[in-house]
Amino acid sequence: MKKALVWGLGVSGRSAIELLKSKGIEVYWGDDKDKVDFREFLGVVDTVVLSPGIPPSHPLWTEAQKREIEVIGELELAWRFFEGRAIAITGTDGKSTTTRLTYLMLSSYFDNVEEGGNIGVPFSDIVLKKPKSLAVLEVSSFQGKTLNTFRPVGGAFLNFSPDHLDWHPTLEDYLHSKFNIFARQTEEDFIVLNELQKEVAETPTRAQKIFVGQRDAFIKDGKAYLFGEPLFELEKLKLFGLHNAYNLLFASAIAKRMGVPTENIREVAYTFRGLPHRLEYVGEIRGVKVYNDSKATTPHALQSALESMPDGKVILIAGGKDKGFNFEELLPLVKKKTKACLLIGEAKEKMAKAWNEAYLCNGLEDAVEKAFELAKEGDIILFSPACASFDMFKDYKERGEVFKKLVLRYAEE
């Protein structure tokens, strides 16, 4: 790599530019927002580094491939200058929570452990500051698609369900982008897999496979077991939801395989309270518990949240920008768990049709007010959109913060 073009000037793009400069590589950059013609750079560069948000259908991607110019992402770029070891965690849902748990478990025992990738800190920043660290990386399918030398010593593939079909040309491409994260592992490496999902359990890799589900790690009678020993009791966890108990098991399996003692793993399991916007407990108002699950951008994530709730007690607020999902599959669970559904955003009519009965609301504020009108003592208000946020909010974080402010404002009134 002698000259590179970085396209997309978000956090990871700017980080990639700094890394390239530090290595003495001539670097050009631009963004679709700048209205600069990328073709003027393609005659001089040998590598294009694309932002994760740029899909394979983008003209820069197709034009670079036509000219046989290498196309990679920021994660692959950073890996080429990394001198440490990486743990890679992927899946449709639960990546961020499992990445944080893995980082906490590993850093409780080892020095020089860093956390980043698709969560928070770009991998390029880690390489600039701690090039010989043990990096725990959340890896998205966008990042996975452009990897061609990346090799993690360990990792996890948590689950798989339809998502990002506005970016990936097909569902198969989405799955193979996940597979590609682990494609260069060797017999010395390991991967923790969801045994209960066939496509995940059959991930093609030469690495040692550890299965969460029934074999190596499982949950039975309210207890979690790992490699034959009891690990934690679900009722003692501060992290809410069965899906989160499984996220804990994935992180525990990675940590144990890396050599972290059971007592360190157990301490993290019993003290971790979760990340914001992921089934986050907001509080109790007039006997009604409120949860912010704004990070639930897929029906699968909403399913996990509902399965954690008591039957017939949930007042659900959902909706947003439709990513082409089938909501009808959730109808039996929605009927079983909810006493009312309050729908917002572009997808509300489609969701109302799928779930038969629902209130159509004029935005999130209207939905929160209606939820408290309907709620009785012992009920639960759950904000779990099952959709993207871009029709009304910048991202899921802003959406979650707005929800919490509306709830707290209602509580003060």
Side-chain angles (χ1 to χ4, degrees):
M1 191 188 308
K2 293 174 182 171
K3 296 181 181 180
L5 169 63
V6 174
W7 201 258
L9 300 178
V11 177
S12 67
R14 294 194 301 272
S15 182
I17 292 165
E18 291 308 308
L19 179 60
L20 286 161
K21 283 179 175 177
S22 76
K23 301 301 177 184
I25 294 166
E26 197 172 326
V27 56
Y28 306 87
W29 59 84
D31 194 291
D32 287 345
K33 292 197 287 280
D34 300 336
K35 296 188 168 54
V36 177
D37 188 353
F38 58 78
R39 289 172 187 82
E40 66 183 85
F41 303 108
L42 292 183
V44 295
V45 301
D46 53 27
T47 302
V48 173
V49 183
L50 292 180
S51 154
I54 295 173
S57 59
H58 192 284
L60 171 53
W61 196 320
T62 51
E63 185 64 28
Q65 287 183 321
K66 200 185 294 178
R67 298 189 190 203
E68 297 186 346
I69 298 169
E70 180 183 46
V71 176
I72 61 173
E74 178 268 334
L75 196 87
E76 171 66 23
L77 170 73
W79 174 257
R80 296 182 183 185
F81 300 103
F82 188 52
E83 299 168 55
R85 297 180 297 163
I87 299 289
I89 293 160
T90 197
T92 303
D93 299 304
K95 294 186 294 293
S96 298
T97 297
T98 308
T99 300
R100 175 60 53 82
L101 285 164
T102 304
Y103 164 74
L104 291 171
M105 289 173 185
L106 291 171
S107 60
S108 76
Y109 189 66
F110 298 111
D111 295 328
N112 202 19
V113 182
E114 297 295 318
E115 175 194 31
N118 196 48
I119 180 177
V121 180
F123 191 22
S124 292
D125 270 16
I126 294 173
V127 175
L128 276 165
K129 293 165 188 167
K130 298 284 185 72
K132 295 183 179 177
S133 59
L134 172 58
V136 183
L137 304 172
E138 176 186 318
V139 186
S140 71
S141 59
F142 303 167
Q143 294 166 317
K145 188 170 175 68
T146 53
L147 297 173
N148 51 43
T149 65
F150 179 73
R151 177 201 152 193
V153 295
F157 189 174
L158 308 174
N159 49 58
F160 180 77
S161 61
D163 197 8
H164 303 305
L165 295 180
D166 49 349
W167 195 98
H168 291 281
T170 63
L171 187 62
E172 186 179 47
D173 183 75
Y174 175 41
L175 180 60
H176 281 91
S177 296
K178 297 285 194 189
F179 287 163
N180 191 41
I181 298 163
F182 308 102
R184 287 153 297 278
Q185 286 190 300
T186 70
E187 293 85 353
E188 299 167 17
D189 306 321
F190 71 92
I191 180 172
V192 187
L193 297 169
N194 184 339
E195 188 180 7
L196 306 178
Q197 276 195 297
K198 188 171 183 284
E199 57 269 71
V200 177
E202 293 177 354
T203 298
T205 176
R206 286 181 292 157
Q208 177 203 345
K209 291 185 174 184
I210 298 168
F211 291 103
V212 171
Q214 295 170 330
R215 274 182 269 183
D216 303 308
F218 57 88
I219 291 169
K220 186 179 179 183
D221 300 329
K223 287 185 180 178
Y225 296 84
L226 177 63
F227 303 134
E229 67 171 331
L231 189 63
F232 55 79
E233 295 175 43
L234 270 60
E235 64 176 22
K236 291 184 180 177
L237 299 177
K238 292 184 170 66
L239 200 54
F240 186 71
L242 183 61
H243 62 295
N244 275 324
Y246 277 105
N247 290 338
L248 262 169
L249 260 184
F250 275 98
S252 302
I254 294 170
K256 191 71 177 168
R257 179 64 171 71
M258 292 294 290
V260 178
T262 300
E263 54 266 33
N264 293 50
I265 294 170
R266 195 173 283 135
E267 186 179 353
V268 172
Y270 284 148
T271 55
F272 186 67
R273 291 181 176 274
L275 295 175
H277 315 298
R278 294 157 176 87
L279 214 52
E280 174 189 11
Y281 181 56
V282 180
E284 188 171 319
I285 300 163
R286 289 204 326 247
V288 177
K289 289 181 176 175
V290 183
Y291 289 91
N292 163 36
D293 196 31
S294 179
K295 182 65 172 69
T297 59
T298 67
H300 183 261
L302 169 57
Q303 178 184 332
S304 294
L306 284 174
E307 284 173 346
S308 304
M309 300 291 170
D311 294 353
K313 292 286 187 182
V314 178
I315 293 160
L316 172 65
I317 302 174
K321 185 173 176 58
D322 180 22
K323 295 196 277 184
F325 294 130
N326 175 6
F327 297 105
E328 289 171 11
E329 292 172 358
L330 282 177
L331 177 59
L333 186 64
V334 168
K335 275 189 162 181
K336 181 183 177 187
K337 296 289 182 178
T338 67
K339 61 186 294 186
C341 294
L342 314 178
L343 303 177
I344 61 173
E346 288 178 11
K348 64 185 178 184
E349 280 90 2
K350 179 181 175 181
M351 296 173 89
K353 192 176 175 185
W355 296 346
N356 300 334
E357 292 178 26
Y359 296 90
L360 301 183
C361 301
N362 300 315
L364 189 52
E365 185 171 1
D366 183 30
V368 169
E369 284 181 15
K370 186 73 178 171
F372 278 110
E373 271 177 40
L374 296 170
K376 302 280 189 290
E377 190 174 338
D379 287 344
I380 291 166
I381 294 174
L382 170 65
F383 179 44
S384 192
C387 294
S389 55
F390 313 128
D391 57 339
M392 294 180 283
F393 303 97
K394 183 177 73 175
D395 53 26
Y396 75 85
K397 294 175 190 170
E398 183 189 49
R399 177 169 68 181
E401 291 303 328
V402 169
F403 173 72
K404 287 193 285 186
K405 280 176 187 167
L406 289 168
V407 169
L408 294 173
R409 191 173 81 194
Y410 182 88
E412 284 166 10
E413 288 170 1

